[in-house]
């Protein structure tokens, strides 16, 4: 039986260096070399998972198929590697301690004194070994390589048990099966313009003092490292110069795997893991083309993102990535106009007129409006105003989770004339509850009690935009994260007034997709389509939003409807896409012949999103 290979990615000097993107890029590079790759993220915080953490505190909560609420870095892993991870791929201190304490309560330790060493450290190692063997790419058998990212910064007190465990783990699996890549900062001081190595030296010294020795240094800097800087780092950090890689600033993160490839990072890893001669050269043609296309896009598409957490872009990371995937497919440069929902409200007009005017100016200048998910009543009225503006003015609109509920509330107020229509989340005593608490939800426990993970949505009609965007399928599986749902008692009234619920769950009682048929593009989804969007496989609803904003929706819908008539794999698709792109440099062809537009071909030949 072949031995599992492990690549550990740690970070030093400061947080926010991009360990997650680096780990994802390493995984992609190894996958491009023909290896099967899985990923594990270690978060040293005491929370059991990310589900109860504020987006301002930790960025978005990424949701997996199995309902796991995990760190946003697992979203990067899934997007780069195109895999489906499990909740166990995210290890937290809370999970480990809970696991050990449960064993202690059962009496598994036979009366021994339970300690950090060996019991916690053993539990960490057992967890890594178990999860590393789980296939995540849809194939049978264990992966070849497991990329492990240790969150935080070397020296953090909360990560000490993990450092100790990983030191023991590297010894247990053997030198030829463990590669440590340390991501560090090489700052450039403006005063002298010199790349300074001392922070990295100290970081590596601290890492070595804790029992881990880096095999490869990945140095973050504004520019490529000078050769003399590499030599200095090599001398003081005891890492060979060819194993020192520069991760300098690039136009978009899709270039990071290419940076690693160009600096032969895969060969350095293979040398440490005794894989030289067994793995092939990386094949990244499609990835390279996509990264280069993204750099050359100039014609903008403006999307107004009306949300609650606009102060931190990571709060909506998957939404931003899904918008980017769709924009690149439509050959448009994405411009996101961030609008704090509360700035659209009348109270802001009184208290801060400048902010009010600026927010409305951005909304009215947008090509599309997106209202993402969220919790709490702050900014709800502003989101309702944004939905109303998009509906009444024919602006393409996509509402996700709470955004869909907002669209329903707005329609009930404006069209049905129910001025006090609301969600019981915001007004528990409303006489016209359009959105209600789900019967199976818990009102006493917050963590892991929502409707989570992959759920099936069945289309109710076949002549609607969402069905066509999903390739005329009878049902779809998408990921959910919500406590409230559209009140089924209100559905008939809303549908009689022109609002169509085109997607429902298997019972027919839970509303999943809402549309306005007489609007250019007005769709709400109770699920989160952004979590399954991939580079090259944009989410169907996001692709529809961007295409509608660019005037390309008819071509995309035509392309999606023609999927069954078109037989091509990704390689053929890329070739045909190049030919079409040469003929349609400025966008879609209007002819309904076999040239139906870049985004349409891009979408259905790459599977649009399964």
């Amino acid at each position: 039986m072949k031995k599992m290979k492990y690549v550990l990615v740690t970070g030093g000097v400061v947080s926010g260096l991009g360990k997650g993107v680096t780990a994802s890029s390493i995984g992609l590079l190894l996958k491009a070399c023909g290896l099967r790759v899985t990923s594990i993220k270690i978060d040293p915080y005491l929370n059991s998972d990310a589900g109860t953490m504020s987006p301002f505190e930790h960025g978005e909560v990424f949701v997996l198929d199995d309902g796991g609420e995990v760190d946003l870095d697992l979203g990067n892993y899934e997007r780069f590697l195109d895999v489906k991870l499990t909740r166990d791929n995210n290890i937290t201190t809370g999970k480990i301690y809970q696991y050990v304490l449960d064993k202690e309560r059962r009496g598994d330790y036979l009366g021994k004194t339970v300690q950090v060493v060996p019991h916690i450290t053993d539990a960490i190692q057992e967890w890594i070994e178990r999860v590393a063997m789980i296939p995540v790419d849809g194939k049978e058998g264990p992966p070849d390589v497991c990329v492990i990212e240790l969150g935080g910064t070397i020296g953090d007190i909360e990560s000490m048990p993990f450092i100790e465990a990983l030191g023991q783990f590297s010894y247990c699996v053997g030198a030829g099966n463990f590669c440590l890549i340390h991501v560090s900062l090489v700052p450039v001081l403006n005063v002298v313009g010199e790349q300074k190595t001392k922070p990295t030296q100290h970081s590596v010294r601290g890492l070595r003092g804790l029992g881990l020795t880096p095999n490869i240094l990945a140095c973050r800097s504004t520019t490529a490292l000078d050769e003399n800087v590499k030599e200095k780092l090599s001398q003081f950090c005891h890492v060979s110069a060819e194993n020192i890689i520069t991760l300098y600033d690039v136009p978009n993160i899709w270039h990071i795997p290419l940076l690693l490839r160009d600096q032969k990072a895969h060969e350095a890893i293979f040398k440490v893991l005794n894989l030289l001669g067994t793995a092939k050269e990386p094949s990244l043609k499609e990835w390279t083309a996509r990264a280069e296309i993204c750099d050359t896009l100039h014609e903008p598409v403006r999307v107004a993102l009306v949300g609650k957490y606009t102060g931190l872009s990571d709060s909506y990371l998957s939404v931003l990535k899904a918008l980017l995937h769709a924009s690149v497919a439509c050959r448009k440069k994405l411009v996101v106009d961030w609008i704090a929902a509360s700035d659209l409200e009348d109270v802001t007009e009184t208290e801060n007129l400048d902010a009010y005017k600026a927010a409305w100016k951005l909304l009215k200048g947008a090509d599309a409006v997106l209202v993402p998910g969220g919790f709490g009543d702050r900014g709800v009225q502003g989101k309702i105003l944004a939905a109303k503006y998009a509906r009444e003015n024919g602006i393409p609109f996509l509402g996700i989770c709470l955004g869909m509920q907002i669209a329903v509330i707005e329609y009930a107020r404006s069209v049905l004339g129910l001025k006090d229509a609301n969600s019981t989340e915001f007004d528990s005593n409303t006489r016209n509850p359009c959105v209600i608490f789900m019967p199976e939800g818990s009102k006493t426990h917050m963590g892991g009690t929502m409707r989570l993970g992959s759920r099936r949505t069945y289309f109710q009609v076949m002549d609607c935009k969402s069905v066509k965007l999903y390739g005329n399928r009878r049902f779809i599986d998408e990921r959910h994260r919500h406590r409230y749902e559209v009140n089924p008692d209100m559905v008939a009234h809303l549908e009689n007034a022109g609002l169509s619920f085109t997607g429902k769950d298997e019972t027919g009682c839970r509303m999943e997709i809402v549309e306005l048929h007489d609007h250019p593009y007005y769709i709400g989804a109770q699920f989160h389509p952004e979590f399954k969007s991939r580079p090259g496989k944009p989410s169907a609803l996001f692709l529809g939003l961007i295409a509608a904003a660019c005037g390309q929706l008819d071509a995309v819908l035509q392309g999606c409807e023609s999927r069954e008539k078109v037989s091509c794999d990704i390689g053929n698709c890329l070739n045909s896409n190049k030919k079409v792109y040469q003929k349609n440099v400025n966008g879609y062809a209007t002819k309904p012949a076999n040239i139906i537009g870049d985004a349409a071909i891009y979408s259905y030949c790459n599977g649009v999103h399964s």
Side-chain angles (χ1 to χ4, degrees), residues 38 109 114-115 145 240 248 265 296 298 336 356 372 517-518 523 528 538:
T38 186
Y109 295 117
V114 179
Q115 297 174 294
V145 181
S240 61
Y248 53 83
T296 60
H298 298 293
V336 176
Y356 177 82
H517 294 304
D518 58 354
I523 294 179
H528 288 263

Side-chain angles (χ1 to χ4, degrees), residues 489-510:
D489 294 339
M490 295 284 290
V491 170
H493 301 295
L494 291 162
E495 289 199 313
N496 290 336
L499 195 63
S500 179
F501 291 94
T502 56
K504 299 180 182 180
D505 76 342
E506 66 279 359
T507 68
C509 297
R510 187 158 282 155

Side-chain angles (χ1 to χ4, degrees), residues 12-13 182 184-187 196-204 233:
V13 184
H182 187 58
S184 187
L185 178 68
V186 178
K196 308 301 288 185
T197 64
K198 194 64 70 177
T200 296
Q201 291 180 43
H202 282 297
S203 180
V204 171
L233 284 171

